[in-house]
Amino acid sequence: MKLDEAMKTRRSIRGFQDKPVPRELIEDVIALANRAPSSMNTQPWHLHVLTGKPLEMVREGNSSRMLGGVPPVREIVDHGAYEGPHRDRQVEIAKQLFAAMGIAREDKEMRQDWVMRGFRQFDAPVSIVVTFDKSLDGGTIAHFDLGAVTYGLVLAAWSRGLGAVINGQGIMQSPVVREHAQIPENEVIMTCVALGWPDEEFSANAVVSTRREVNEVASFVGFDD
């Protein structure tokens, strides 16, 4: 798949086939993503790839804690509630997804089930937990670098026929993730990526988020009109 085709067609996949992903294919995806740029070539990322029983333990731990009312425990500073245009775009994609899945606004049970899917890593066969060296904590440059490698992961996966979604919900109970992914104490958990073969019959997988036009996101200085 050509780069421009992958970038234009890639979308977040939230429903997966019950089918394992070969380790060799995941290693191929990671090798591509590992070419991501980083500040002064620091390459601060670590990728912890889970499947099978360890991933099931993460799902169970996340779900039981959230349903039990345990507040989220994240290792990076949360931005809090979105406001203004950011909130508008958040609501827009939620409406698209709920419409695709036939979830009514007043259906609290179905809405909660949808939220819990995120804590279950969307029932994907693979989860890649993205971390960085704790020695680099306290700034945002490492966060920027991890954004690059994480986009590389989802793009490389898509180019190989896999689907993925960047899943902040999946690490909201970070102690659970750290335990079962065997993440060292000198690393900070940033996010995770749910990955697997897309389920083409899962309605939400067809949802494509809208994007702003170039003139809305970019300004040009010094160019001839």
Side-chain angles (χ1 to χ4, degrees):
M1 186 182 294
K2 292 183 178 180
L3 178 61
D4 56 349
E5 180 185 358
M7 294 180 72
K8 289 179 180 178
T9 61
R10 186 211 63 81
R11 59 188 184 275
S12 292
I13 298 300
R14 298 175 174 87
F16 300 90
Q17 299 179 46
D18 184 13
K19 176 181 173 182
V21 181
R23 175 172 172 167
E24 295 77 11
L25 181 54
I26 300 173
E27 289 179 349
D28 182 38
V29 166
I30 291 174
L32 282 175
N34 201 44
R35 299 300 306 172
S38 61
S39 176
M40 292 179 277
N41 196 37
T42 49
Q43 302 180 45
W45 50 75
H46 302 276
L47 307 175
H48 302 267
V49 187
L50 282 72
T51 193
K53 185 63 175 179
L55 180 52
E56 287 301 321
M57 295 298 290
V58 169
R59 293 193 221 281
E60 293 172 12
N62 281 349
S63 298
S64 62
R65 285 169 66 103
M66 295 306 299
L67 290 173
V70 178
V73 181
R74 300 184 68 173
E75 298 184 358
I76 58 172
V77 178
D78 195 356
H79 54 71
Y82 287 116
E83 299 179 354
H86 308 103
R87 174 62 176 167
D88 294 340
R89 288 191 283 271
Q90 180 189 25
V91 170
E92 180 184 18
I93 190 62
K95 287 181 177 179
Q96 286 181 265
L97 291 168
F98 287 166
M101 296 299 293
I103 302 174
R105 183 179 181 84
E106 63 277 6
D107 192 337
K108 294 182 179 179
E109 183 176 348
M110 287 292 292
R111 289 168 73 90
Q112 183 184 44
D113 179 70
W114 179 261
V115 170
M116 293 307 299
R117 286 180 59 84
F119 297 115
R120 298 199 312 265
Q121 314 271 347
F122 292 97
D123 300 322
V126 175
S127 176
I128 303 178
V129 183
V130 185
T131 71
F132 65 94
D133 295 319
K134 187 172 288 186
S135 62
L136 300 175
D137 202 7
T140 58
I141 293 178
H143 296 191
F144 178 87
D145 295 339
L146 263 65
V149 77
T150 303
Y151 181 44
L153 281 172
V154 299
L155 201 60
W158 188 257
S159 75
R160 298 298 191 269
L162 294 166
V165 60
I166 301 170
N167 179 25
Q169 285 176 293
I171 53 85
M172 279 189 179
Q173 294 292 346
S174 288
V176 172
V177 179
R178 180 175 294 280
E179 176 185 356
H180 297 296
Q182 301 177 22
I183 297 173
E185 290 298 327
N186 64 347
E187 296 177 20
V188 178
I189 298 174
M190 169 68 81
T191 192
C192 68
V193 176
L195 182 145
W197 303 105
D199 180 355
E200 300 299 338
E201 297 183 0
F202 190 76
S203 301
N205 286 347
V207 171
V208 179
S209 58
T210 59
R211 299 300 166 118
R212 293 174 288 167
E213 299 294 334
V214 171
N215 62 4
E216 296 180 86
V217 300
S219 63
F220 296 87
V221 179
F223 292 85
D224 294 334
D225 292 335

